Coordinates of all heavy atoms in Angstrom, one line a residue:
M1 N 361.6 149.5 -101.4 CA 361.7 150.8 -100.9 C 363.0 151.5 -101.2 O 363.2 152.6 -100.8 CB 361.5 150.8 -99.3 CG 362.5 150.0 -98.5 SD 362.1 150.0 -96.8 CE 362.8 151.3 -96.3
F2 N 363.8 150.8 -102.0 CA 365.2 151.3 -102.2 C 365.2 152.1 -103.5 O 365.6 151.5 -104.6 CB 366.2 150.3 -102.2 CG 366.1 149.4 -100.9 CD1 365.5 148.1 -100.9 CD2 366.5 149.9 -99.6 CE1 365.4 147.4 -99.7 CE2 366.4 149.2 -98.4 CZ 365.8 148.0 -98.4
A3 N 364.8 153.4 -103.5 CA 364.5 154.1 -104.6 C 365.5 153.9 -105.8 O 365.0 153.7 -106.9 CB 364.3 155.5 -104.2
W4 N 366.7 154.2 -105.6 CA 367.7 154.3 -106.8 C 368.8 153.3 -106.6 O 369.9 153.7 -107.1 CB 368.1 155.8 -106.9 CG 368.5 156.4 -105.7 CD1 369.7 156.2 -105.1 CD2 367.7 157.2 -104.9 NE1 369.8 157.0 -103.9 CE2 368.5 157.6 -103.8 CE3 366.4 157.8 -105.0 CZ2 368.1 158.5 -102.8 CZ3 366.0 158.6 -104.0 CH2 366.8 159.0 -103.0
N5 N 368.7 152.2 -106.0 CA 369.8 151.2 -105.8 C 369.6 150.0 -106.5 O 368.4 149.4 -106.4 CB 370.1 151.0 -104.3 CG 370.5 152.3 -103.7 OD1 371.5 152.8 -103.9 ND2 369.7 152.7 -102.7
P6 N 370.5 149.4 -107.3 CA 370.4 148.1 -107.8 C 370.2 147.1 -106.8 O 370.7 147.2 -105.7 CB 371.6 147.9 -108.7 CG 372.5 149.0 -108.5 CD 371.8 150.0 -107.5
A7 N 369.5 146.0 -107.2 CA 369.3 145.0 -106.1 C 370.5 144.2 -105.6 O 370.5 144.0 -104.4 CB 368.4 143.9 -106.8
W8 N 371.6 144.1 -106.4 CA 372.9 143.5 -106.0 C 373.5 144.4 -104.9 O 374.1 143.8 -104.0 CB 373.8 143.3 -107.1 CG 374.2 144.5 -107.8 CD1 373.7 145.1 -108.9 CD2 375.4 145.3 -107.4 NE1 374.4 146.3 -109.1 CE2 375.4 146.4 -108.3 CE3 376.3 145.4 -106.3 CZ2 376.4 147.4 -108.1 CZ3 377.2 146.2 -106.3 CH2 377.3 147.3 -107.1
L9 N 373.4 145.7 -105.0 CA 374.0 146.6 -104.0 C 373.2 146.6 -102.7 O 373.8 146.6 -101.7 CB 374.0 148.1 -104.6 CG 374.5 149.1 -103.7 CD1 376.1 148.7 -103.4 CD2 374.4 150.4 -104.4
I10 N 371.9 146.5 -102.8 CA 371.1 146.3 -101.5 C 371.5 145.0 -100.8 O 371.7 144.9 -99.6 CB 369.6 146.3 -101.9 CG1 369.2 147.8 -102.4 CG2 368.8 146.1 -100.6 CD1 367.9 147.7 -103.1
T11 N 371.7 143.9 -101.5 CA 372.0 142.7 -101.0 C 373.4 142.7 -100.3 O 373.6 142.3 -99.2 CB 371.9 141.6 -102.1 OG1 370.6 141.6 -102.6 CG2 372.3 140.2 -101.6
V12 N 374.3 143.3 -101.0 CA 375.7 143.4 -100.5 C 375.7 144.2 -99.2 O 376.4 143.8 -98.3 CB 376.7 144.0 -101.5 CG1 378.0 144.5 -101.0 CG2 376.9 143.1 -102.7
N13 N 375.0 145.3 -99.2 CA 375.0 146.2 -98.1 C 374.3 145.4 -96.8 O 374.9 145.6 -95.8 CB 374.1 147.4 -98.3 CG 374.9 148.5 -99.1 OD1 376.1 148.5 -99.1 ND2 374.2 149.2 -99.8
E14 N 373.2 144.7 -97.1 CA 372.6 144.0 -96.0 C 373.5 142.9 -95.5 O 373.6 142.7 -94.3 CB 371.2 143.5 -96.5 CG 370.3 144.6 -96.7 CD 369.0 144.2 -97.2 OE1 368.7 143.0 -97.2 OE2 368.1 145.1 -97.3
L15 N 374.1 142.1 -96.4 CA 375.0 141.1 -95.9 C 376.1 141.5 -95.2 O 376.5 141.1 -94.2 CB 375.3 140.2 -97.2 CG 374.4 139.3 -97.8 CD1 374.9 138.7 -99.1 CD2 373.7 138.4 -96.9
A16 N 376.7 142.6 -95.7 CA 377.9 143.2 -95.0 C 377.6 143.8 -93.6 O 378.3 143.6 -92.6 CB 378.5 144.3 -95.9
S17 N 376.6 144.5 -93.6 CA 376.1 145.0 -92.2 C 375.6 143.9 -91.3 O 376.0 144.0 -90.0 CB 374.9 146.1 -92.4 OG 373.7 145.5 -93.0
Y18 N 375.0 142.9 -91.8 CA 374.7 141.7 -90.8 C 376.0 141.0 -90.4 O 376.1 140.6 -89.3 CB 373.8 140.8 -91.5 CG 372.3 141.0 -91.4 CD1 371.5 141.3 -92.5 CD2 371.6 141.4 -90.2 CE1 370.2 141.6 -92.4 CE2 370.3 141.7 -90.1 CZ 369.6 141.7 -91.2 OH 368.3 142.2 -91.1
A19 N 376.9 140.8 -91.3 CA 378.2 140.3 -91.0 C 378.9 141.1 -89.9 O 379.5 140.4 -88.9 CB 379.0 140.0 -92.3
M20 N 379.0 142.4 -90.1 CA 379.6 143.2 -89.1 C 379.0 143.1 -87.7 O 379.6 143.1 -86.6 CB 379.6 144.7 -89.6 CG 380.3 145.6 -88.6 SD 382.2 145.4 -88.4 CE 382.7 146.2 -89.9
L21 N 377.7 143.2 -87.7 CA 376.8 143.1 -86.5 C 377.1 141.8 -85.8 O 377.3 141.6 -84.6 CB 375.4 143.2 -86.7 CG 374.4 143.3 -85.6 CD1 374.8 144.4 -84.5 CD2 373.1 143.5 -86.0
S22 N 377.1 140.6 -86.6 CA 377.3 139.3 -86.1 C 378.7 139.2 -85.5 O 378.9 138.7 -84.4 CB 377.2 138.3 -87.2 OG 375.9 138.3 -87.6
A23 N 379.8 139.8 -86.1 CA 381.1 139.7 -85.6 C 381.2 140.5 -84.4 O 381.9 140.0 -83.5 CB 382.1 140.4 -86.7
L24 N 380.6 141.7 -84.2 CA 380.6 142.3 -83.0 C 379.9 141.7 -81.8 O 380.6 141.6 -80.7 CB 380.0 143.8 -83.2 CG 380.9 144.8 -83.9 CD1 380.1 146.0 -84.4 CD2 382.0 145.2 -82.9
V25 N 378.8 141.1 -82.1 CA 378.1 140.3 -81.1 C 379.0 139.1 -80.7 O 379.1 138.8 -79.4 CB 376.7 139.8 -81.5 CG1 376.1 138.9 -80.5 CG2 375.8 141.0 -81.7
F26 N 379.6 138.4 -81.6 CA 380.4 137.2 -81.3 C 381.7 137.6 -80.4 O 381.9 137.1 -79.4 CB 380.9 136.6 -82.6 CG 382.0 135.6 -82.4 CD1 381.6 134.3 -82.0 CD2 383.3 135.8 -82.6 CE1 382.4 133.3 -81.8 CE2 384.3 134.8 -82.4 CZ 383.8 133.5 -82.0
H27 N 382.3 138.8 -80.9 CA 383.3 139.4 -80.0 C 382.9 139.7 -78.7 O 383.7 139.4 -77.7 CB 383.9 140.6 -80.7 CG 385.0 141.4 -80.0 ND1 386.2 140.8 -79.7 CD2 385.0 142.5 -79.4 CE1 386.9 141.6 -78.9 NE2 386.1 142.7 -78.8
A28 N 381.8 140.4 -78.5 CA 381.3 140.8 -77.2 C 381.1 139.6 -76.3 O 381.4 139.5 -75.1 CB 380.0 141.5 -77.3
L29 N 380.5 138.5 -76.9 CA 380.2 137.3 -76.1 C 381.5 136.6 -75.8 O 381.6 135.9 -74.7 CB 379.2 136.4 -76.8 CG 377.7 137.0 -77.1 CD1 377.0 136.0 -78.0 CD2 377.1 137.2 -75.7
R30 N 382.3 136.4 -76.7 CA 383.7 135.8 -76.6 C 384.6 136.3 -75.4 O 385.1 135.7 -74.7 CB 384.5 135.6 -77.9 CG 385.6 134.7 -77.9 CD 386.3 134.8 -79.2 NE 387.7 134.8 -79.0 CZ 388.5 135.9 -79.3 NH1 388.0 136.9 -80.0 NH2 389.7 135.9 -78.9
D31 N 384.6 137.6 -75.5 CA 385.5 138.4 -74.5 C 384.7 138.5 -73.2 O 385.4 139.0 -72.2 CB 386.0 139.6 -75.1 CG 387.1 139.4 -76.0 OD1 387.5 138.3 -76.3 OD2 387.5 140.5 -76.6
R32 N 383.4 138.2 -73.1 CA 382.7 138.4 -71.9 C 382.8 139.8 -71.3 O 382.7 140.0 -70.0 CB 383.1 137.4 -70.8 CG 382.6 135.9 -71.2 CD 383.0 135.0 -70.1 NE 382.6 133.7 -70.0 CZ 382.4 132.8 -71.1 NH1 382.6 133.2 -72.2 NH2 382.1 131.6 -70.9
N33 N 383.0 140.8 -72.1 CA 382.9 142.1 -71.6 C 382.4 143.0 -72.8 O 383.1 143.7 -73.4 CB 384.5 142.5 -71.4 CG 384.5 143.8 -70.4 OD1 383.5 144.4 -70.2 ND2 385.7 143.9 -70.0
A34 N 381.1 142.8 -72.8 CA 380.3 143.5 -73.9 C 380.2 145.0 -73.9 O 379.9 145.7 -74.9 CB 378.9 143.0 -73.9

């Protein structure tokens, strides 16, 4: 569904956004103040 983006760019975007989301969830759980 990614009309005009190369596959590598889609992969990089998805990995980076999942990494950021994971880091935020980890931080929220670690500090116990979500």
